[in-house]
Amino acid sequence: MKVACVGGGPASLYFSILMKRVDPSHEITVYERYPAGATYGWGVTYWEELFDYLHEVDPESARAIGESSVRWDSWVVHVQDRATVTVEHGDEGFGVGRQRMLDILAERARDLGVDIAYEHEITPETEFADADLVVAADGINSVLRERHAEHFGTEVSVGRNMYMWLGTTKALDAFTFAFTETPHGWIWGYGYGYDSGHSTFIVECAPDTWRGLGFDTASEADGLALLEKLFAEVLDGHPLIAQTESGGSARWLNFRTLTNRRWYRDNVVLLGDAAHTTHFSIGAGTALALGDAAYLVEALHSATGLDAALARYERERRTAIRVSQRAARRSARWYESVPRYVNLPPRQLIALLNERHSAVLPYVPPRLYYVTGQTAGTLAWLASCLIPGRRRRTSG
């Protein structure tokens, strides 16, 4: 099979690795618009379950990623000056530099015979007439998908809160949450280390807080200076960095959740963020992209005929990610409702932060949920009573 992959992110590279492992005769070219060594973002997260899976399917790249990763198994939650609480979370998490991960996957792909064409811009007019399969893994703004957006049924919903993806030289040794109250409302950050001297630090707040603090008109330098002051306890004197590895500057954004009714058209198939996005607060973006790659490779080598393979990939993968998509929607909603929870005693706040994927929590007073949340029967009863559209079952 001759394959053209558009986009040089984790989804494309891992797909090409797995394809070559199954059948070295595949001819695969990955087209990336940026130069080698240039990317956006800071670090990415993944969890122990994914790490184990990577070892099963390609031990060589998994070993290199593991050696380059920072590990943690606890949370640290800062709530203004009220408390700093460390929670043993149980699940082992990992952070790795996005550029380091891409370097590892690119090197592994080239070793297997994949051709990677950097600084190769794909336009809406670009054709791959000699390709048996075209993999559109060029992100949320996919050029290939937009060419036939009506067919794919692309829909984008925009989140309410404002967020900014930053870096810092503070090496955080646990997954860190920080909630800070201002005269204009609460602002919070999520941070995690990804190498011995750097961490990702994502800042989020409601739009009224964003405007009230002047971020809508502040220069980049003034905005960063204010954020460093607001999160001084966590950063411990270290700066926040807006400049990304690709040379661009981080910006305040509203998160965009993208879905598609169809994931393929003829020989063009969507992968990763081109097919779907899930809110950053569940830390699943990279895992889902790699999972897409694995599902597609499995379908291509199991089904008879390309159309049947792509139909199977679309059907099975869409079903597989629904749990993550629901969790992401609920997690985003929790953060859009931070004032509902943030004044609880710190231990209760942390417990409900850990329960932010719950379908019941938005409909139950937070203190009541905290008290009864350990009892599954109580939650089921509350759900039947309080969630719109559900009918309470009665006996007799």
Side-chain angles (χ1 to χ4, degrees), residues 23 45 77 138 144 180 198 275 277 286 314:
D23 187 345
T45 59
V77 183
D138 48 343
L144 296 184
T180 300
H198 296 88
T277 61
T286 299
E314 175 188 286

Side-chain angles (χ1 to χ4, degrees), residues 41-349:
W42 304 99
V44 298
T45 59
Y46 60 98
W47 305 95
E48 189 171 16
E49 182 179 3
L50 177 65
F51 192 51
D52 293 341
Y53 168 77
L54 297 179
H55 269 282
E56 289 180 13
V57 296
D58 187 51
E60 291 83 352
S61 59
R63 191 178 307 112
I65 291 170
E67 291 171 353
S68 299
S69 296
V70 172
R71 307 182 183 207
W72 67 83
D73 58 8
S74 61
W75 289 357
V76 174
V77 183
H78 301 261
V79 186
Q80 192 72 353
D81 55 359
R82 285 158 42 200
T84 298
V85 180
T86 300
V87 180
E88 297 301 324
H89 192 257
D91 295 330
E92 188 171 27
F94 302 82
V96 62
R98 178 178 171 84
Q99 185 58 64
R100 179 59 185 145
M101 172 176 270
L102 292 178
D103 289 344
I104 290 169
L105 296 180
E107 181 179 357
R108 176 65 175 148
R110 282 192 296 263
D111 287 346
L112 292 170
V114 176
D115 182 24
I116 304 177
Y118 290 105
E119 298 183 77
H120 194 111
E121 188 79 31
I122 301 299
T123 70
E125 292 74 33
T126 302
E127 297 290 342
F128 298 97
D130 60 342
D132 300 306
L133 176 68
V134 179
V135 178
D138 48 343
I140 190 171
N141 297 313
S142 170
V143 172
L144 296 184
R145 188 197 64 233
E146 288 304 302
R147 185 190 298 175
H148 302 289
E150 187 172 330
H151 167 83
F152 288 113
T154 305
E155 295 183 0
V156 177
S157 62
V158 180
R160 182 174 64 88
N161 283 354
M162 306 298 298
Y163 78 97
M164 182 184 282
W165 205 290
L166 299 166
T168 177
T169 55
K170 170 68 175 179
L172 298 167
D173 58 6
F175 201 104
T176 301
F177 300 86
F179 296 87
T180 300
E181 188 174 21
T182 79
H184 304 283
W186 288 85
I187 187 169
W188 53 93
Y190 326 71
Y192 53 88
Y194 64 84
D195 65 28
S196 60
H198 296 88
S199 300
T200 297
F201 198 80
I202 307 168
V203 178
E204 185 179 3
C205 63
D208 289 346
T209 303
W210 177 72
R211 285 188 292 269
L213 292 172
F215 289 121
D216 55 334
T217 58
S219 67
E220 179 181 294
D222 289 344
L224 290 179
L226 177 55
L227 289 173
E228 288 167 0
K229 181 178 179 180
L230 291 170
F231 295 105
E233 181 181 1
V234 177
L235 297 173
D236 195 27
H238 288 263
L240 289 171
I241 309 166
Q243 194 77 9
T244 64
E245 290 92 330
S246 61
S249 186
R251 297 177 292 116
W252 286 100
L253 301 167
N254 300 95
F255 188 79
R256 294 181 293 160
T257 299
L258 178 139
T259 59
N260 289 278
R261 290 196 304 272
R262 298 291 304 276
W263 284 21
Y264 74 97
R265 181 183 185 274
D266 298 332
N267 69 334
V268 177
V269 62
L270 306 180
L271 205 66
D273 283 355
H276 54 79
T277 61
T278 54
H279 195 260
F280 54 81
S281 62
I282 69 168
T286 299
L288 292 177
L290 301 184
D292 287 354
Y295 265 77
L296 181 54
V297 172
E298 171 66 19
L300 289 169
H301 292 91
S302 299
T304 301
L306 182 62
D307 190 73
L310 299 184
R312 174 180 170 181
Y313 160 70
E314 175 188 286
R315 180 178 63 254
E316 294 185 0
R317 187 56 180 158
R318 286 182 64 178
T319 299
I321 69 170
R322 280 175 185 159
V323 171
S324 295
Q325 289 176 320
R326 286 196 296 268
R329 287 193 296 269
R330 293 165 184 164
S331 183
R333 182 174 181 175
W334 194 95
Y335 285 108
E336 289 179 350
S337 307
V338 159
R340 187 172 189 255
Y341 307 106
V342 76
N343 289 311
L344 294 169
R347 288 286 178 183
Q348 294 186 24
L349 169 64

